[in-house]
Amino acid sequence: MTEWKRQEGEETIFRTCAWSPPGCHPVGCGLQVHVKDGKVVKVEGDPEHPITKGSLCTRCLALPEYIYHPDRITHPLKRAREDRGKDKWEQCTWDEATDLIAQNAKEVTEKYGAEAICVFGGTGREGNNWYPQWANLVFGTPNSVYAQAGWSCYGPRMTNTAFMIGGGYPEIDYAQKFEDRYEHEGWVAPECILIWGKEPLRSNPDGLYGHAVIEMVRQFGTKLICVDPRVTWLGTRSEEVLQLRPGTDTALAMAFIYVMAHDDLVDHDFIDKWCYGYEQLIERVQDMPPAKAAEICGVPEEQIWRAARLYGNAKPSSVAWGLAVDENPNGTQLGQCLIALMAITGFIDAPGGTTLGMGDDQGNVVRDGGSISADEKVDDATDSTLELAFKNGIMTEETWGRRIGIDKYPAMGSILWTVMPDEFLKALETEKPYKIHMAHFISSNPIGTAISAEPQRWYEALKKLDFCCAADLFMNPTTMACCDVFLPIATTVEHDGMVVTHYGLNSSFYGAQNKCVQVGECKSDVEAMMAVGKKMYPDFWNRFETQTDYDNFHVMRSWLPYEELREKVTVMSNEPYFKYEVGKLRPDGQVGFPTSTGRVELYSYMYEQFGENPLPYYEDPAYGPERTPELMEKYPFILTTGARKQEFFHSEHKQVPSLRQITPYPQIDLNPADAARLGIEEDDWVEIASPYGAVRQRAHVVPTIKEGVCHAMHGWWYPEEDGEEPNLFGNWKSNINVLMPNSVNGVMGFGNTFKQMICSLKKVEGEGGPNDPDSTGIFLEPSRQAEFTYQQVWRPTDETQQA
Ligand SMILES: Nc1nc2c(c(=O)[nH]1)N[C@H]1C(S)=C(S)[C@@H](COP(=O)(O)OP(=O)(O)OC[C@H]3O[C@@H](n4cnc5c(=O)[nH]c(N)nc54)[C@H](O)[C@@H]3O)O[C@H]1N2
Ligand SMILES: Nc1nc2c(c(=O)[nH]1)N[C@H]1C(S)=C(S)[C@@H](COP(=O)(O)OP(=O)(O)OC[C@H]3O[C@@H](n4cnc5c(=O)[nH]c(N)nc54)[C@H](O)[C@@H]3O)O[C@H]1N2
Ligand code: SF4
Ligand SMILES: [Mo]
């Protein structure tokens, strides 16, 4: 094994694992970073990395351009409150910047209580790992905010898993936990992978290394089934692509279970021993025979039978479930069906099936294939963030009880440590149940073009706050519009750290992030947090001097002391299969799954407890021909959005030349038949409108998208443009989320319309680009009628009361 740091001529070469910034999930891909005269000169893949074996995607290859980009902020900045929206930033010292943050936080806490502060975090970047700590341990507030309508990313799938299986996160098995990988004794390749609303080649989400799917297809003949309204790259290599109408997935998944039961393609032994509620589930799916699902989903009936049989006959089989599960108000039920499909085959936690992790929902019990027992707990190091906050007098339980929106959505509050986002937006606007005065943004840009639905509302609401600060790397619409202090953050190769897949919920390996260079005065997220923490609650925070102190303090992070991990670069988790048979899944050491029945709950007591139907049911999309027929005349297309592109991570990377040249403009995909009818040609600028607003993107006419459906890119702004208000880097021009409502949620609060809205399309005459003055900020009258939630459709039935 090559050393983690070596000298070759004038270059020092570091072996390290990537996380963020720039944006990525904890995939931990292996890098070799070449440094000359204190500067990164080249980044290449690390052939010795057990998972990625030398391959990298474009974003890591473009790291040098990102690190040394002229627009990158490398010193702390401050700005007078009256200059918000103007480019009137002044450089200041870290001491001054952190003083300003601490002073304001203390003032707000004294006057209104700590809950008047909120901390925004986005998706699983490293910085995002710390936003509950910033909230609960630095500011003592319960209000961490993940601002996506209906908390529609990973949270719903985690909740499905927690309620039905008891914890962890099911992932396809690509021998990712073992050093010898595909050679590992006992490992077998999945014979079939059902890929549902996910494109892992582009997204590598949450620690899944998507390229492994290609490896298994090539080396072991693994067959693929894709459920997707678009034919993706993997789709073209699949046995079946079920091109359904977006948002109708639950009908299709119920029909899959119907076929499995009809043909008796299930593992009765496993079901008898380890599943609860199979009979009720099968009775429920009798409502959804393939013929009915075919009609709802716009998929041939024959194909449903064929695909479900292919899946049901495969031994072993696996399921890759993606974001389309979360971004759907009926997605809780979809997730429920997909977990059932993983379990009734008997291939859950089995080789070549769907792996489970041993982490609890804090992600903190994994060690060397076994759990950390209570007597191994050292001081308060294994306490959760909340326990630490209470114990150290930083936050009281009473303050924790004021977390916004959780009274209305307790299911969400029981699994996730944040506010209920849609309710939080209302709280900002109405100042009820109380007024929020201060916000801190870490790895999230809610006025920008990714996380928020109706960003126009977030913009108005956030501008009112007394004090705002951010920890980021570039100016963006949020920092420009409302921040008073800006803390410059170090990239993944500029600080030490640790990365673990699935945030510890299902770890394949632990990787070291090894510091290679220092840029300006940038600090890591943890260092920035410690700097403010020391000024807020020194008794707690003064115990840490370096990021390594902090990492080693936390069990999830200190599975191996950082100093040892650095030398090894990666250490495999080696988690075994069939953990439920030997008591390795339950905290009490009993066999079975950590649910109340000890089994996989196909009939879910937890759902029932939170007022949700314990069994899956289908509901039509919130917007569409069934529920909003009158709107369809004006908005006849079904709109799905945000399928990932390898060159961008959400709103990021638009300023990196070699990445931007791959896709220089935002694109809306539409079918050639639709394009012909509308007189739209490739590259035409198109105005896309919904009842909430209108924006422009460029037409990409492709047969791979279903007729009547279009797909728009998310995350588009123009960092090369004027950043001052009102333009805000062209934030409103192509931002597809201007068209999306908040508050279209399922019973437990989850789901949004990002993947199943309605829209109209119109060719823009003339030049029509984003710089056409007519195209700036076209808002239609926002209609707030969206609050017809799914609760109004589904009501508890007698059946719910039984059991
Ligand atoms: N390069 C890159 N990687 C990323 C990200 C990024 O921005 N860029 N973002 C990260 C984040 S936060 C996440 S959550 C993951 C998400 O990653 P994935 O889970 O892979 O999700 P998406 O790429 O959004 O969408 C996957 C597929 O769902 C299809 N789809 C659209 N609507 C529907 C529908 O209604 N039903 C079904 N069945 N399919 C549908 C799309 O056509 C697309 O092919 O990616 C992560 N990785
Ligand atoms: N229409 C549509 N919209 C979507 C989606 C979709 O499918 N369709 N997907 C949604 C999903 S799943 C998600 S998760 C959200 C994501 O939304 P967000 O996670 O909020 O993404 P960004 O808006 O790109 O904001 C991230 C900011 O963090 C900064 N940053 C990156 N890495 C770090 C770091 O390690 N530390 C710090 N301090 N800052 C960092 C970046 O510079 C950027 O300004 O977007 C959602 N938006
Ligand atoms: S998935 Fe791509 S961007 Fe993310 S760490 Fe791996 S190579 Fe880098
Ligand atoms: Mo996400």
Side-chain angles (χ1 to χ4, degrees):
M1 193 56 75
T2 310
E3 302 226 5
W4 72 276
K5 183 179 174 184
R6 67 184 192 273
Q7 197 68 27
E8 279 184 14
E10 290 183 325
E11 289 184 358
T12 313
I13 301 168
F14 294 82
R15 293 180 59 225
T16 179
C17 297
W19 190 354
S20 80
C24 198
H25 281 169
V27 195
C29 300
L31 307 182
Q32 294 215 9
V33 181
H34 295 240
V35 175
K36 195 177 158 197
D37 302 328
K39 274 190 90 167
V40 177
V41 290
K42 185 168 85 179
V43 170
E44 46 182 4
D46 179 4
E48 289 175 52
H49 188 285
I51 309 283
T52 58
K53 298 177 213 153
S55 64
L56 287 183
C57 60
T58 44
R59 303 199 304 289
C60 268
L61 291 171
L63 263 176
E65 279 174 76
Y66 180 96
I67 297 172
Y68 302 111
H69 195 288
D71 295 345
R72 179 159 172 212
I73 312 291
T74 53
H75 300 277
L77 301 175
K78 63 175 185 174
R79 182 173 64 178
R81 198 186 181 294
E82 62 272 20
D83 288 332
R84 285 186 184 173
K86 300 195 189 105
D87 194 4
K88 291 203 170 170
W89 293 95
E90 258 178 71
Q91 189 173 321
C92 63
T93 62
W94 269 95
D95 198 38
E96 210 181 339
T98 48
D99 264 349
L100 277 168
I101 296 174
Q103 267 167 25
N104 278 280
K106 284 179 186 164
E107 215 175 292
V108 169
T109 305
E110 255 161 51
K111 279 200 205 150
Y112 315 104
E115 65 270 28
I117 305 173
C118 62
V119 178
F120 283 79
T123 188
R125 306 179 186 84
E126 188 182 349
N128 177 70
N129 212 39
W130 309 118
Y131 74 109
Q133 275 92 331
W134 269 99
N136 308 156
L137 283 169
V138 174
F139 298 127
T141 173
N143 291 323
S144 319
V145 189
Y146 173 82
Q148 195 188 149
W151 223 119
S152 301
C153 174
Y154 203 70
R157 276 173 289 164
M158 263 168 62
T159 307
N160 285 139
T161 310
F163 287 180
M164 293 177 67
I165 300 176
Y169 174 88
E171 188 55 273
I172 57 169
D173 185 8
Y174 54 103
Q176 65 269 41
K177 299 183 189 226
F178 315 115
E179 189 84 48
D180 49 354
R181 301 290 315 279
Y182 303 129
E183 310 286 310
H184 188 75
E185 204 191 332
W187 182 79
V188 285
E191 191 180 320
C192 174
I193 306 177
L194 175 58
I195 303 180
W196 202 297
K198 184 171 200 136
E199 214 208 333
L201 281 190
R202 307 281 176 261
S203 58
N204 299 299
D206 303 298
L208 164 63
Y209 173 64
H211 193 81
V213 175
I214 302 184
E215 292 172 352
M216 293 193 291
V217 168
R218 286 215 177 123
Q219 295 179 38
F220 310 104
T222 297
K223 295 190 172 84
L224 307 179
I225 301 170
C226 283
V227 178
D228 197 310
R230 303 179 315 137
V231 183
T232 60
W233 192 95
L234 285 176
T236 63
R237 273 80 176 168
S238 295
E239 307 300 305
E240 301 286 348
V241 180
L242 294 107
Q243 248 185 312
L244 81 179
R245 164 161 62 108
T248 60
D249 300 65
T250 307
L252 187 62
M254 288 173 76
F256 261 63
I257 300 173
Y258 180 103
V259 175
M260 305 265 296
H262 179 275
D263 285 17
D264 199 21
L265 301 176
V266 301
D267 180 340
H268 289 287
D269 272 358
F270 181 85
I271 291 170
D272 290 349
K273 270 203 200 126
W274 302 114
C275 293
Y276 178 80
Y278 178 71
E279 279 75 30
Q280 290 104 311
L281 174 71
I282 298 309
E283 201 184 313
R284 173 59 61 89
V285 300
Q286 296 314 305
D287 295 348
M288 194 56 76
K292 184 171 167 192
E295 197 152 306
I296 293 172
C297 306
V299 171
E301 182 192 343
E302 248 327 286
Q303 195 188 16
I304 302 178
W305 284 101
R306 228 173 33 231
R309 283 173 173 151
L310 175 62
Y311 174 77
N313 281 303
K315 288 184 183 12
S317 60
S318 185
V319 180
W321 52 337
L323 181 58
V325 175
D326 302 332
E327 289 182 339
N328 178 344
N330 192 205
T332 293
Q333 289 67 36
L334 173 57
Q336 201 173 4
C337 292
L338 294 176
I339 290 182
L341 283 170
M342 297 169 197
I344 61 179
T345 57
F347 294 120
I348 198 160
D349 203 22
T354 315
T355 66
L356 291 180
M358 303 205 306
D360 64 8
D361 61 1
Q362 302 285 339
N364 64 9
V365 290
V366 190
R367 181 189 278 180
D368 199 19
S371 299
I372 288 187
S373 61
D375 53 302
E376 278 183 274
K377 275 197 169 199
V378 193
D379 300 328
D380 49 4
T382 47
D383 286 345
S384 68
T385 302
L386 268 190
E387 285 168 321
L388 287 173
F390 297 152
K391 246 180 158 163
N392 291 281
I394 300 173
M395 183 170 64
T396 62
E397 298 205 30
E398 199 194 338
T399 306
W400 177 242
R402 297 201 195 104
R403 193 161 47 129
I404 285 175
I406 296 312
D407 43 346
K408 195 165 164 193
Y409 294 103
M412 187 181 281
S414 76
I415 298 294
L416 302 159
W417 50 85
T418 64
V419 300
M420 191 306 178
D422 312 61
E423 294 298 307
F424 188 76
L425 174 58
K426 287 188 224 158
L428 280 176
E429 290 174 332
T430 60
E431 301 176 3
K432 289 190 180 90
Y434 50 83
K435 187 170 154 76
I436 300 292
H437 289 266
M438 170 175 164
H440 180 40
F441 303 95
I442 313 150
S443 73
S444 189
N445 166 18
I447 294 173
T449 52
I451 200 160
S452 43
E454 295 177 278
Q456 54 274 38
R457 280 173 69 191
W458 286 96
Y459 172 57
E460 293 298 333
L462 288 169
K463 273 181 46 165
K464 297 192 301 192
L465 304 192
D466 303 344
F467 181 80
C468 294
C469 46
D472 211 304
L473 294 91
F474 287 87
M475 239 0 116
N476 64 39
T478 303
T479 54
M480 191 56 110
C482 69
C483 287
D484 309 304
V485 171
F486 188 114
L487 302 176
I489 297 300
T491 70
T492 182
V493 298
E494 294 162 39
H495 70 277
D496 292 336
M498 296 186 191
V499 49
V500 54
T501 60
H502 292 293
Y503 323 99
L505 287 170
N506 190 348
S507 344
S508 18
F509 69 94
Y510 283 69
Q513 287 170 283
N514 293 321
K515 178 168 178 167
C516 313
V517 290
Q518 172 73 38
V519 174
E521 289 180 281
C522 297
K523 287 186 195 286
S524 73
D525 281 293
V526 168
E527 289 164 343
M529 176 165 69
M530 291 187 325
V532 180
K534 283 171 191 276
K535 292 184 177 172
M536 293 297 297
Y537 295 98
D539 288 350
F540 175 74
W541 286 97
N542 277 346
R543 69 185 83 183
F544 310 115
E545 278 313 314
T546 62
Q547 162 140 14
T548 302
D549 294 342
Y550 194 73
D551 284 343
N552 287 347
F553 177 75
H554 285 279
V555 165
M556 172 196 151
R557 316 279 297 166
S558 65
W559 177 73
L560 199 67
Y562 168 73
E563 296 81 354
E564 276 177 54
L565 184 62
R566 172 170 60 196
E567 304 286 328
K568 297 181 196 277
V569 188
T570 55
V571 174
M572 308 312 284
S573 79
N574 278 315
E575 288 177 353
Y577 296 108
F578 304 114
K579 296 179 277 293
Y580 59 89
E581 286 185 345
V582 291
K584 276 187 183 269
L585 283 181
R586 293 180 61 95
D588 60 10
Q590 298 287 311
V591 297
F593 293 83
T595 57
S596 61
T597 57
R599 298 161 186 230
V600 178
E601 294 192 358
L602 306 175
Y603 177 108
S604 169
Y605 280 120
M606 291 299 283
Y607 287 31
E608 194 170 35
Q609 181 187 322
F610 288 114
E612 179 57 282
N613 196 316
L615 292 166
Y617 57 93
Y618 170 70
E619 287 207 334
D620 292 314
Y623 289 86
E626 297 86 1
R627 296 180 74 167
T628 56
E630 68 298 345
L631 287 176
M632 296 311 287
E633 282 166 34
K634 201 162 167 206
Y635 307 104
F637 282 91
I638 306 295
L639 172 68
T640 179
T641 66
R644 292 354 185 194
K645 301 280 283 179
Q646 205 170 63
E647 60 273 27
F648 303 129
F649 201 83
H650 299 292
S651 71
E652 294 181 54
H653 298 103
K654 303 290 181 299
Q655 59 280 83
V656 179
S658 67
L659 299 176
R660 180 70 176 272
Q661 75 176 7
I662 301 172
T663 308
Y665 288 102
Q667 286 180 332
I668 174 147
D669 299 343
L670 72 164
N671 186 279
D674 293 322
R677 251 184 320 110
L678 296 172
I680 294 173
E681 287 175 27
E682 182 75 10
D683 280 344
D684 280 347
W685 281 94
V686 176
E687 186 172 295
I688 317 159
S690 85
Y692 292 83
V695 296
R696 291 178 185 199
Q697 300 199 358
R698 242 169 157 166
H700 182 37
V701 183
V702 274
T704 47
I705 186 146
K706 192 177 174 69
E707 216 179 311
V709 176
C710 49
H711 167 266
M713 288 177 64
H714 81 304
W716 270 92
W717 57 306
Y718 301 92
E720 66 276 17
E721 284 191 13
D722 180 12
E724 293 197 334
E725 284 179 331
N727 190 52
L728 289 179
F729 304 103
N731 191 48
W732 311 109
K733 295 177 177 179
S734 300
N735 183 350
I736 200 67
N737 290 352
V738 163
L739 277 67
M740 301 292 171
N742 285 279
S743 300
V744 181
N745 315 123
V747 174
M748 298 196 288
F750 293 118
N752 66 21
T753 61
F754 285 3
K755 295 218 190 291
Q756 4 84 49
M757 192 48 191
I758 52 171
C759 74
S760 61
L761 299 179
K762 192 177 81 193
K763 178 179 162 153
V764 178
E765 299 299 337
E767 179 66 12
N771 292 320
D772 172 349
D774 285 349
S775 78
T776 311
I778 327 160
F779 292 113
L780 305 183
E781 192 50 38
S783 103
R784 301 275 156 79
Q785 98 274 23
E787 211 140 332
F788 61 90
T789 65
Y790 278 57
Q791 287 102 308
Q792 287 163 20
V793 181
W794 183 79
R795 289 260 175 270
T797 59
D798 291 348
E799 182 189 21
T800 336
Q801 319 304 337
Q802 293 167 15

